[in-house]
């Protein structure tokens, strides 16, 4: 089943210059699929995620989640989880309250959210880290906390924007392998953005290549690799 569908989505900046961040994008993401959007800086990758999240208004076209048009649906009602490169954790709160933030916002009680937080931290490889200070964690550990926070409300779609962008090479390779395993275990539908070809190929069921606000090619990592 199709979870996410974009039909003719354009985002235009500037009335006179008519500069398009997205220019007639059509994209469908099936349930449980992991799709990586690859492309150079400025090709429209972040704008694509922002449009799906409801953080960016479209100039034309439609965004559907679970078959429902998302026009006018606010961010917190879309059922999407977001994780950005600058993961925006609250540096002065402990790990537990960072992970539970979204749950408490949605009205979860203290006890049920504590259980969920423990389960999530185990999942991302940081068991028992609830009481640790965010500032004391390594970059890789902070990415794990950000991932746990994004997964906390069980989003139907998880969106990652350069999730491993600030980490060193070795750690990235390890985390990519872990993420891949985690997503397939959870059956999470993922739309991830990266400018790193190796990362996209390792993570994705399907790779979408963007250039100048358009989808240039799309296919399995092997298909995209073999095309000139
Ligand atoms: P990427 O994530 O691939 O680096 P972006 O989606 O951030 O690309 O940006 C796509 C294009 O749209 C870029 O040329 C960028 O400068 C432009 N853009 C993004 N946001 C705005 C904005 N608010 N106003 C004007 N131009 C913007
Ligand atoms: P990122 O690529 O880090 O996700 P965004 O594209 O989300 O950055 O842009 C960050 C902020 O800067 C947003 O408010 C966006 O609207 C604005 N912005 C991005 N590119 C431009 C641009 N070329 N001109 C004006 N504002 C821009």
């Amino acid at each position: 089943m199709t979870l996410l569908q974009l039909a003719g989505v354009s985002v235009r900046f500037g009335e006179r210059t008519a500069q398009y961040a997205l220019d007639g994008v059509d994209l469908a993401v099936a349930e449980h699929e992991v799709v990586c959007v690859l492309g150079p800086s400025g090709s429209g990758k972040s704008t694509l995620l922002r449009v799906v999240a409801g953080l960016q208004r479209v100039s034309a076209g439609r965004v559907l989640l679970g078959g429902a048009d998302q026009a006018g649906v606010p961010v917190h009602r879309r059922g999407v989880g977001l994780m950005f490169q600058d993961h925006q954790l609250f540096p002065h709160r402990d790990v537990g309250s960072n992970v539970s933030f979204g749950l408490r916002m949605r009205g979860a009680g203290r006890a049920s959210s504590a259980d969920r937080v423990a389960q999530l931290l185990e999942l991302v490889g940081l068991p028992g880290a609830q009481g640790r200070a965010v500032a004391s964690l390594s970059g890789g550990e902070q990415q794990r906390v950000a991932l746990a926070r994004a997964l906390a409300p069980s989003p139907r779609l998880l969106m990652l924007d350069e999730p491993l962008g600030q980490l060193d090479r070795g750690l990235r390779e390890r985390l990519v392998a872990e993420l891949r395993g985690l997503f397939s275990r959870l059956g999470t539908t993922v739309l991830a953005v990266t400018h790193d070809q190796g990362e996209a190929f390792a993570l994705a069921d399907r790779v979408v290549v963007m250039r100048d606000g358009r989808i240039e090619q799309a296919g399995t990592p092997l298909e995209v690799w073999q095309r000139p």
Side-chain angles (χ1 to χ4, degrees):
M1 236 214 18
T2 301
L3 177 66
L4 170 67
Q5 184 155 22
L6 281 79
V9 169
S10 292
V11 171
R12 188 178 128 164
F13 291 113
E15 288 305 316
R16 254 163 288 169
T17 53
Q19 186 202 355
Y20 287 88
L22 294 179
D23 186 4
V25 168
D26 297 313
L27 176 68
V29 178
E31 256 175 65
H32 310 302
E33 196 178 21
V34 176
V35 173
C36 277
V37 182
L38 192 59
S41 182
S43 58
K45 305 183 301 295
S46 295
T47 303
L48 181 71
L49 291 197
R50 292 165 58 82
V51 157
V52 175
L55 295 165
Q56 170 69 55
R57 194 187 292 257
V58 303
S59 314
R62 306 206 307 152
V63 177
L64 292 91
L65 271 166
D69 198 311
Q70 299 297 298
V73 178
V75 183
H76 63 281
R77 289 270 159 76
R78 294 195 177 199
V80 300
L82 294 168
M83 180 181 157
F84 295 113
Q85 174 174 14
D86 50 345
H87 37 69
Q88 295 162 339
L89 296 174
F90 305 117
H92 305 300
R93 312 291 299 272
D94 64 21
V95 167
S97 46
N98 268 279
V99 176
S100 67
F101 175 73
L103 295 172
R104 307 298 303 274
M105 289 279 288
R106 284 170 178 76
R110 198 173 288 275
S112 74
S113 90
D115 282 351
R116 178 87 179 126
V117 168
Q119 184 194 16
L120 286 158
L121 287 174
E122 207 144 304
L123 203 63
V124 298
L126 285 174
Q130 286 88 332
R132 293 178 64 187
V134 162
S136 76
L137 303 176
S138 71
E141 288 171 331
Q142 292 191 15
Q143 290 307 93
R144 288 164 199 262
V145 174
L147 178 64
R149 184 177 62 178
L151 287 169
S154 302
R156 51 184 173 170
L157 176 67
L158 179 66
M159 295 201 289
L160 314 172
D161 192 349
E162 301 282 358
L164 310 175
Q166 291 173 340
L167 305 176
D168 66 61
R169 192 87 225 164
L171 184 57
R172 281 165 76 147
E173 278 166 17
R174 225 176 59 228
L175 282 179
V176 163
E178 279 183 32
L179 284 178
R180 177 84 207 153
L182 185 63
F183 296 154
S184 81
R185 275 208 313 285
L186 295 176
T188 320
T189 308
V190 179
L191 183 61
V193 154
T194 176
H195 64 268
D196 184 308
Q197 184 167 303
E199 205 169 291
F201 283 16
L203 202 55
D205 299 317
R206 200 151 54 90
V207 174
V208 168
V209 182
M210 290 196 71
R211 184 173 300 275
D212 298 334
R214 296 166 182 263
I215 292 181
E216 197 177 54
Q217 47 174 311
T220 64
L222 190 62
E223 286 165 353
V224 170
W225 175 252
Q226 286 172 338
R227 242 169 270 166

